[in-house]
Amino acid sequence: MHNNDLENWALALGVCIGATAAMFFLRMIVLRRLGDLSQRTVTRVDDLVVKMLRRTFITPQLAIGIYLGSIFLVMPESWRLVVSRIAVAGLVLQLGIWGDTALRGWRSQLLATPGDGARKASSTILFFMLRLLVWTVAFLMMLDNFGFNITTLVASLGIGGIAVALATQNILGDLFASLSIMLDKPFEVGDFIIVGDALGAVEYIGLKTTRLRGLGGEQIVFSNGELLRSRIHNHKRMESRRVAFVLRVAYGTSEAQVTAIPAMIREIVAARSDVNFERAHFFRYGDWSLDFEVVYHFKSPDYILHMDAQQDILLHIYRAFQREGIQFAHPLSVVRVADHRDPAGGWPPADAAGVLTKH
């Protein structure tokens, strides 16, 4: 250090103080402007950034400033290495504090929003794991920065983690499935869902299981991993219902009546304000009926209101058919008996008749 003259010391001191002051005032300016911006917006990102900047400490800034000032000094490599490592340690520590602050702020915002307690419990576990990961990575980086060989430590942690994961793979699978449900939100407590042949309202979302209340009053329990591997139908988020049904009209209905049926159905369905009519068509010759397909969209997801509307539509169609003399079809089979007045050859064919006569 004796190789440095007064000019070098003055330059190093000036760079150290100037860099530290520049970082301090830059933080103040950015913090003030983002604070004003966060008051005018409803987004949460700027609020998290403000919280992170408020947790910026002077010690890491001073360590970085000392390192920048030391560049202009002549010193042994060992001393320079110590100063650089202290500066890097301060930077890593500050990054860890910022990450921890962002996670805690995110957790506070999530807990402040309305929601079920089970989902919030899952989020607490998730944030704890993320904070543990942040500080573990920061600790390992600091050890590596100070010259410790962390390869063996990381390998040991990896082997231990694999052993624990294999021993508890089902539990961990359900836990991570719970975190996936919390983040992706395919359903929430109170939603009516169908999973395979089970249907019911979601009653509880836990760390390992999700429970439904079935239509019969029974409780249906799924493991979270099994639930996410299934196809889920969430009826709570239905905005409208598509309804399709078939009307079967008897053979022998006149051409004029068959032609008039689609327009008749259109008039009945379109008369309701809570229904959007899509189509009505004579679409098939059935085995024992003339088949008409009717499709409309009910504007509400409410099942009871949907059934009330469908009942009203069907009653109006029934009355219209009675008024026009149109008969609904009934399943039937026609058996034809051959006699001497049949066309040439008769029925059944001659070869078949011979077989029947022999028997």
Side-chain angles (χ1 to χ4, degrees), residues 87-263:
V88 171
L91 178 60
V92 171
L93 181 61
Q94 184 60 68
L95 291 175
I97 293 173
W98 281 345
D100 185 75
T101 303
L103 289 173
R104 287 192 295 168
W106 184 17
R107 183 189 62 183
S108 300
Q109 291 176 353
L110 183 63
L111 295 179
T113 58
D116 57 282
R119 188 179 298 279
K120 291 181 178 180
S122 299
S123 66
T124 301
I125 297 296
L126 171 64
F127 289 126
F128 172 76
M129 295 175 62
L130 290 177
R131 290 181 64 193
L132 181 62
L133 177 63
V134 167
W135 285 115
T136 300
V137 172
F139 177 70
L140 292 176
M141 290 179 65
M142 291 182 70
L143 288 180
D144 183 64
N145 173 61
F146 283 112
F148 292 92
N149 186 4
I150 64 171
T151 304
T152 305
L153 178 60
V154 172
S156 301
L157 291 176
I159 295 173
I162 292 174
V164 172
L166 290 175
T168 61
Q169 56 182 334
N170 292 332
I171 297 176
L172 291 177
D174 291 332
L175 174 61
F176 284 109
S178 170
L179 300 179
S180 178
I181 292 173
M182 186 272 294
L183 293 174
D184 194 43
K185 298 183 180 179
F187 53 83
E188 296 179 345
V189 171
D191 289 2
F192 186 87
I193 64 174
I194 298 178
V195 184
D197 58 351
L199 65 163
V202 179
E203 190 175 60
Y204 175 80
I205 303 174
L207 295 177
K208 189 176 189 318
T209 62
T210 294
R211 303 166 197 172
L212 310 183
R213 182 63 60 180
L215 295 180
E218 74 281 10
Q219 188 179 73
I220 307 170
V221 182
F222 291 93
S223 68
N224 291 325
E226 176 189 0
L227 189 62
L228 287 188
R229 287 192 294 269
S230 305
R231 182 171 297 175
I232 302 172
H233 300 263
N234 192 336
H235 284 251
K236 181 68 175 295
R237 299 180 184 177
M238 182 188 302
E239 296 181 358
S240 63
R241 288 179 178 269
R242 183 182 184 271
V243 183
F245 62 91
V246 175
L247 292 174
R248 293 182 169 86
V249 178
Y251 277 105
T253 303
S254 68
E255 178 185 351
Q257 290 174 322
V258 171
T259 305
I261 287 176

Side-chain angles (χ1 to χ4, degrees), residues 52-100:
M52 291 168 59
L53 290 178
R54 286 176 179 168
R55 294 280 294 172
T56 303
F57 295 99
I58 191 64
T59 304
Q61 299 176 26
L62 183 59
I64 295 174
I66 292 175
Y67 169 73
L68 294 176
S70 68
I71 296 176
F72 299 92
L73 294 176
V74 177
M75 62 177 64
E77 287 300 322
S78 58
W79 287 37
R80 191 177 299 279
L81 181 62
V82 170
V83 173
S84 63
R85 285 179 173 178
I86 292 176
V88 171
L91 178 60
V92 171
L93 181 61
Q94 184 60 68
L95 291 175
I97 293 173
W98 281 345
D100 185 75

